[in-house]
Amino acid sequence: MKSARLNRLFGVSGNCFDVAIDHGMFNERTFLARIENMKTAIEVIAQAAPDAIQLPPGTAPMLQAIPGKHRPALVLRTDIANIYGNPLPSQLFSEMIDRAVEQGVALDAACVVVNLLMLPDQPEVYRACVRNVNSLKRECEIYGMPLMVEPLVMQDNSKGAYMVDGAIDKILPLVRQAAELGADIIKADPCDNVEEYHRVVEIAQGLPVLVRGGGRVSDQEILIRTKQLMEQGARGIVYGRNVIQHHNPGGMTRALMAIVHDKASVEQASLHIG
């Protein structure tokens, strides 16, 4: 059934746009902007018809309650971490939800996603993430559930909360480790030089690579970057704040879908936003 679930996740173009609305899982007030009402946020995005919406177990039923056959697929967030604040808490953790794959099956998820976090001078968080991926891998094989691993290299939080490190020499080995641990899909950060992203795709050994969106930027920047990333061989994107915090989240979803699936130009995609 893994191939059937992957078919639900990736469009006929072979690509995927997954809108992440799982930010409430991480107990950070700033992450909640424009998603205070999750039912409304999910419905607005679902109407714009991305391939998938990424949600935690508590709000995933809101997506699955939408009637009809054509709602976006569910990508289930399976882990919780407290590594996004500034300053960092005195003790850090990355914990799995209970029976994550069973919950994914019960919620009719097309995929489950888990972090592989690397923070400066925090080896225990990294070790916990490796354990989390390992614990999911075999269960995913048993249940036929695709496993998305999110290798995330972060900067020191003293520079600001949730600052990712775009150094490609740090991204490459963590992406390769995610592949070696058994990921079916890689969700990775863009590198500082977008023109080098083909190296991330190559190091993933044929696995589909979806690119994280990161912090909020201008419409023009996110559309240009997405176009460049797709041209470098990415199989899609997983964007959150650049969609859900947009003044027209449905229009931005349609704009990005046009680039991901139809190879639209930035100018053509922009017409969807208004």
Side-chain angles (χ1 to χ4, degrees):
M1 289 301 295
K2 187 181 287 188
S3 61
R5 289 189 169 100
L6 287 169
N7 285 340
R8 287 165 51 194
L9 192 61
F10 287 84
V12 293
S13 70
N15 298 332
C16 174
F17 179 18
D18 171 17
V19 179
I21 321 182
D22 54 355
H23 305 74
M25 193 76 152
F26 299 103
N27 194 29
E28 287 293 330
R29 176 65 186 90
T30 57
F31 287 4
L32 300 179
R34 303 296 291 272
I35 60 167
E36 292 87 352
N37 186 324
M38 281 291 285
K39 186 173 186 294
T40 298
I42 290 168
E43 287 175 350
V44 167
I45 297 300
Q47 287 171 7
D51 300 292
I53 298 180
Q54 187 168 297
L55 292 164
T59 45
M62 295 180 184
L63 171 63
Q64 303 299 52
I66 296 173
K69 300 178 180 179
H70 302 295
R71 63 178 173 270
L74 170 64
V75 174
L76 183 68
R77 166 61 64 186
T78 64
D79 55 343
I80 310 155
N82 67 337
I83 52 88
Y84 300 106
N86 183 17
L88 285 172
S90 58
Q91 292 188 340
L92 301 182
F93 65 80
S94 179
E95 297 283 344
M96 295 285 301
I97 63 174
D98 186 49
R99 299 183 184 182
V101 182
E102 287 185 31
Q103 290 197 52
V105 172
L107 288 164
D108 193 29
C111 181
V112 296
V113 60
V114 64
N115 280 318
L116 181 57
L117 301 165
M118 183 168 285
L119 286 73
D121 303 317
Q122 299 293 343
E124 287 306 312
V125 173
Y126 169 63
R127 182 181 182 186
C129 289
V130 171
R131 287 197 298 261
N132 292 343
V133 176
N134 276 328
S135 70
L136 276 178
K137 173 58 181 172
R138 181 56 185 151
E139 291 299 304
C140 283
E141 293 297 320
I142 292 169
Y143 286 96
M145 180 66 70
L147 174 60
M148 183 189 298
V149 179
E150 183 173 354
L152 178 55
V153 183
M154 298 185 69
Q155 297 185 41
D156 190 323
N157 278 46
S158 64
K159 299 179 182 179
Y162 205 3
M163 298 285 286
V164 298
D165 192 327
I168 194 165
D169 287 339
K170 296 178 182 178
I171 294 172
L172 290 175
L174 200 61
V175 166
R176 183 56 175 267
Q177 185 176 49
E180 301 290 9
L181 285 169
D184 298 297
I185 304 165
I186 302 290
K187 173 186 171 185
D189 279 314
C191 50
D192 291 332
N193 180 3
V194 176
E195 297 302 318
E196 289 190 294
Y197 206 75
H198 64 276
R199 296 176 61 194
V200 178
V201 173
E202 179 185 28
I203 210 74
Q205 303 303 295
L207 296 175
V209 175
L210 308 182
V211 191
R212 291 181 68 255
R216 188 82 169 87
V217 296
S218 70
D219 294 357
Q220 191 76 356
E221 182 175 344
I222 198 66
L223 293 177
I224 290 173
R225 185 200 305 166
T226 303
K227 183 68 174 176
Q228 292 173 327
L229 288 164
M230 296 302 296
E231 290 174 345
Q232 288 287 304
R235 288 279 302 280
I237 53 176
V238 184
Y239 289 179
R241 287 167 289 175
N242 282 291
V243 177
I244 59 178
Q245 292 178 0
H246 194 272
H247 72 274
N248 182 1
M252 177 54 80
T253 299
R254 287 184 285 271
L256 291 164
M257 285 286 282
I259 292 175
V260 168
H261 289 295
D262 302 326
K263 299 182 180 180
S265 68
V266 170
E267 293 74 19
Q268 290 169 330
S270 298
L271 297 175
H272 292 278
I273 300 172

